[in-house]
Amino acid sequence: MRCVLLSDTLDLRALFGTALAAVADRVEIVDHPAEHPEEVRLALGWNPPPDAFARYPNLAAICSIGAGADNLLACPGLPEPVAVVRVVDPDQARAMSHFVLWHLIGHQRRFSAYAENQRAGRWQRLGQRAAAEVPVGILGYGRIGRQVAADIAALGFPVAAWSRSPGADEPGIARHHGTDGLAALLARTEVLVNLLPLTPETTGLLDAARLRRLRPGAFLIHVGRGPQLVEADLLATLDDGTLAGAALDVFAREPLDAGHPFWRHPRIAVTPHEACDASDAAVAAAVAATAEALAAGRPIPHAVDRMRGY
Ligand code: GLV
């Protein structure tokens, strides 16, 4: 099946060409604008050009290059019947878990204070807190959220997770849902990990009122999507002492502007939307699985519920 590459911002052939060559028995990769556009039923996309969808009248599915598909769902020209497919990659979930643990333990064991002390040539023992004394709240309990929650719980941190639908508590993980559940989770949380997908309901969710519900000296690990955090409110809650610090991997505008105050804030750690990538092989496997499902007329694995937004 022919698969057209659609991106205004990334060279998808350079990024995924080698991995896609491994599925060439099922997928023929073509560049946009492709010849014989009526023969194209599949696309791989990230920030697709605005005119792209009008050109391919028989497009049936578009695959994302990551776990999130918000970037594709937000395309104004995306026709209703086109299935949007996200990547589900267990290695990506593990990489996210490592990233979150880095910042969680960094906060618990005060790594940035030691780094400051080293720069000042200061020998000062800062004391230790056990993991059991640092409650963690996880927003989002999909495949990645479950991996992160399980790994954190295994290290002895008390974990609570918040999701859209209710679910029973699991060993070491208290489950919450709904508005009351969010308030309860925030009130018991010192380290808040945001892994939510971007939807109208999660846009602006992390505002000053909600951040102020966290335990004193809280720490935010923000790895969902930029527009979920009200950036000015983060600065206000750091400045008024509500938050001890924040690790941010996603931003309202990416790349982060050179003059943005986050870059130089002493209690903010910035990384360039790279907490965890789906592997090239997982992206190619998702494209191949989508091609096979389309060819066989079967349901497409990991197609996003377009009403729900993830
Ligand atoms: C990264 O942000 C992804 O969606 O995989």
Side-chain angles (χ1 to χ4, degrees):
M1 180 170 298
R2 301 178 85 201
C3 172
V4 66
L5 301 177
L6 297 179
S7 181
D8 258 351
T9 51
L10 295 176
D11 182 346
L12 296 177
R13 193 176 274 281
L15 287 170
F16 299 106
T18 308
L20 288 166
V23 297
D25 54 331
R26 283 156 289 168
V27 183
E28 181 203 347
I29 298 299
V30 293
D31 293 307
H32 174 69
E35 282 174 19
H36 311 295
E38 64 292 340
E39 287 171 18
V40 172
R41 295 187 65 208
L42 179 56
L44 176 66
W46 191 257
N47 294 320
D51 66 333
F53 297 109
R55 184 174 170 87
Y56 304 106
N58 297 318
L59 191 70
I62 180 163
C63 298
S64 173
I65 60 166
D70 46 288
N71 160 297
L72 301 176
L73 293 168
C75 292
L78 180 70
E80 196 54 43
V82 175
V84 175
V85 182
R86 60 194 214 90
V87 180
V88 173
D89 175 9
D91 287 337
Q92 183 182 24
R94 273 183 220 112
M96 179 63 95
S97 187
H98 300 160
F99 184 90
V100 169
L101 284 167
W102 165 36
H103 287 297
L104 167 61
I105 297 173
H107 166 75
Q108 175 214 2
R109 301 299 302 268
R110 308 185 64 180
F111 291 164
S112 56
Y114 286 115
E116 227 171 90
N117 281 352
Q118 180 177 351
R119 280 192 293 273
R122 194 162 46 228
W123 179 279
Q124 184 188 17
R125 290 164 57 93
L126 296 172
Q128 295 178 13
R129 283 195 305 155
E133 295 171 62
V134 184
V136 179
I138 296 179
L139 303 180
Y141 203 58
R143 291 179 193 246
I144 294 180
R146 281 168 198 270
Q147 176 80 49
V148 172
D151 290 349
I152 291 175
L155 291 181
F157 293 91
V159 177
W162 185 71
S163 52
R164 182 181 159 121
S165 349
D169 289 352
E170 292 164 33
I173 301 166
R175 300 279 307 271
H176 296 271
H177 76 283
T179 312
D180 292 348
L182 180 58
L185 176 135
L186 294 173
R188 69 179 289 290
T189 292
E190 177 172 326
V191 176
L192 184 67
V193 182
N194 176 39
L195 287 162
L196 289 166
L198 185 64
T199 66
E201 293 78 36
T202 67
T203 300
L205 187 82
L206 298 176
D207 61 6
R210 294 202 178 87
L211 294 174
R212 289 201 172 103
R213 286 177 182 264
L214 293 165
R215 285 195 173 191
F219 191 88
L220 172 68
I221 302 175
H222 180 45
V223 281
R225 285 292 187 258
Q228 294 161 341
L229 175 66
V230 181
E231 295 189 341
D233 287 11
L234 175 70
L235 292 170
T237 49
L238 283 165
D239 293 347
D240 71 13
T242 304
L243 290 186
L248 310 176
D249 187 57
V250 290
F251 304 89
R253 219 167 94 155
E254 298 177 7
L256 190 62
D257 290 336
H260 199 290
F262 287 171
W263 281 116
R264 272 163 279 279
H265 197 290
R267 284 183 288 131
I268 292 179
V270 168
T271 47
H273 197 148
E274 210 179 18
C276 61
D277 291 334
S279 71
D280 299 356
V283 172
V287 171
T290 305
E292 280 173 18
L294 285 175
R298 280 190 274 108
I300 298 171
H302 309 306
V304 169
D305 176 337
R306 287 188 58 174
M307 285 302 286
R308 205 175 57 163
Y310 59 96

